[in-house]
Amino acid sequence: MMMKRRDFVTRLGGAAAGAGLLSACGKKEEASSTVKPAARTEYKWDMVTTWPKDFPGLGTGANTLARLINQMSGGRMQVTVYGAKEIVPAFEVFDAVANGTAQMGHGAAYYWKGKNEAFQFFSTVPFGMNTQEMNGWLFHGGGLQLWQEAYAPFNLIPAPAGNTTVQMAGWFNKEINSIEDLKGLKMRIPGLGGEVFSRAGGTPVNMPGGELFTALQTGVLDATEWVGPYNDLAFGFYKVAKYYYYPGWHEPGTTLEAIINKDAFAQLPEDLQAIVMSACRVANQDMVDEYTANNNAALHELVNEHKVELRRLPDDVLLRLKELSDEVVQEVANKSDLGKKVFASYSKFRDQAHDWHNISERAYLNARA
Ligand code: CA
């Protein structure tokens, strides 16, 4: 054994290598890392997510984020993505990252309304801001700073890391011609949209995406929303529902989030911290691009191949839903000091964006039509 070690030291050459080996005291791993110092991964992170592994758009967006960090860091960081239930269930992602079980998570702020209902402003609220407006508010309108303040007590740093763009109102088997048609309807529609739906006389249900097809097929549900054409086509809802309604008043541009454990982030050198945050920003935009491209293609397939009947919710139905939404959103804002502060910032930005977008995006789309 002594003989072997001496030979090894001689072969490595130099006092430094020898000292390193001796201090390793025969630990094989350290000795071999002295021999091969290249391609060192300094930070191994786990990313837990609220999505099924590789789920189109949402799960693949988390994969994109991890890949970007791994590549941009030149392998110094290695982030591994886990789908819901692989380490923790979907709705335990926030706590798992807060307590350091994982260094990072990918989900949406409205899932954590149990911590504070005001968190929902950082994902989406009914008749709220669209994707472009959310990004403007978060990155250049003070929104992200408020979000960071909101998550700080939980030892978490949030970052926008994806957006579904405007969703669809959902799948129905009967036509919606007036607000009365929503009465008694059992629909999967979670969150604040569900509360609004309830005030309109419907029965909102929350159910994971994977159960929706069967629930519609067997009549457990009368209707469901999910995301938009890209994701809804993948679930095959066109086989069990006749009408596909728009627009997605309840989720007008849902921001997804990366959440990062503060202690893990603090351990990174500044360049890796910048890489993590920049990767989130790229992933945030990339998902918008992915949904824009794939929603277009999927809608075309749904209408032309699967003969889905597209329907717009009537104006008076949307108007009533908007009135109820304003009530519900205001109530959420009034529930806490954080809610009041966030809503003040959110609503000011939304109203200004409304004025500007009326004469820019809306005017242009009308003109192009
Ligand atoms: Ca949805």
Side-chain angles (χ1 to χ4, degrees), residues 110 167 188 190 225-227 250-251:
Y110 56 21
Q167 300 197 2
R188 186 269 185 189
E225 69 82 58
W226 177 230
V227 185
H250 61 302
E251 292 198 62

Side-chain angles (χ1 to χ4, degrees), residues 57-70:
L58 308 170
T60 54
N63 295 346
T64 298
L65 175 55
R67 179 176 48 75
L68 283 167
I69 296 172
N70 298 347

